[in-house]
Amino acid sequence: MSEAEVAPEGSVVAKDLFKEILEQQQEVIEQEHNEGEVVGEEVKKKRPKSPGKRRYISVTDRTNSALMLLVLRRLKAAEEHSFQPDVKENIREAVVLLKRIIEENEDMFPGVLRPKS
């Protein structure tokens, strides 16, 4: 005989009740876990890259950046000390071209130009 047969009509068998409660709790836990994964993925997608996070800059890139800064500084000094208008104009054009090259290759020359605010 099973317990369901022994119990009078209208009564509840505790064993069956606990099984149902346990199944419901497991379903709720699984749903929360699945929703947590979805929410976690959404949070990861929404998070912007932190500005404080530093990216790796290779030695070659740092060397290139230092050399470009040095060239730009030397051109500035030459432009300031020159009295010949055609030399000044050529230096200005060279600076504009170098800045354009740096902008196009920011990965190769990181941190040379200041970001525009």
Side-chain angles (χ1 to χ4, degrees):
M1 280 191 193
S2 71
E3 293 174 355
E5 294 174 354
V6 174
E9 286 186 39
S11 64
V12 178
V13 179
K15 185 176 183 181
D16 294 335
L17 181 63
F18 287 125
K19 281 183 183 178
E20 286 180 33
I21 292 172
L22 183 62
E23 289 173 2
Q24 290 174 355
Q25 290 295 327
Q26 287 177 344
E27 289 175 7
V28 168
I29 290 172
E30 289 174 3
Q31 288 176 352
E32 288 176 355
H33 182 70
N34 291 338
E35 289 174 0
E37 289 177 353
V38 172
V39 170
E41 290 174 5
E42 290 175 0
V43 168
K44 287 179 184 176
K45 290 178 186 176
K46 289 181 183 177
R47 280 188 194 154
K49 293 182 181 178
S50 61
K53 190 172 183 179
R54 297 178 65 182
R55 68 179 181 90
Y56 175 74
I57 300 173
S58 69
V59 173
T60 307
D61 291 343
R62 281 184 279 181
T63 304
N64 289 340
S65 295
L67 289 173
M68 273 298 179
L69 280 172
L70 182 64
V71 168
L72 289 171
R73 287 177 185 153
R74 293 260 174 114
L75 285 172
K76 181 180 177 183
E79 194 259 338
E80 288 174 353
H81 294 1
S82 177
F83 295 107
Q84 300 173 348
D86 57 332
V87 173
K88 283 188 165 197
E89 184 61 33
N90 287 335
I91 291 173
R92 287 186 196 119
E93 288 177 10
V95 168
V96 169
L97 291 173
L98 281 176
K99 285 184 177 182
R100 179 75 175 151
I101 291 169
I102 293 168
E103 286 174 359
E104 293 295 321
N105 301 301
E106 180 62 31
D107 293 338
M108 210 165 142
F109 308 109
V112 175
L113 299 178
R114 293 185 184 122
K116 295 178 181 177
S117 311

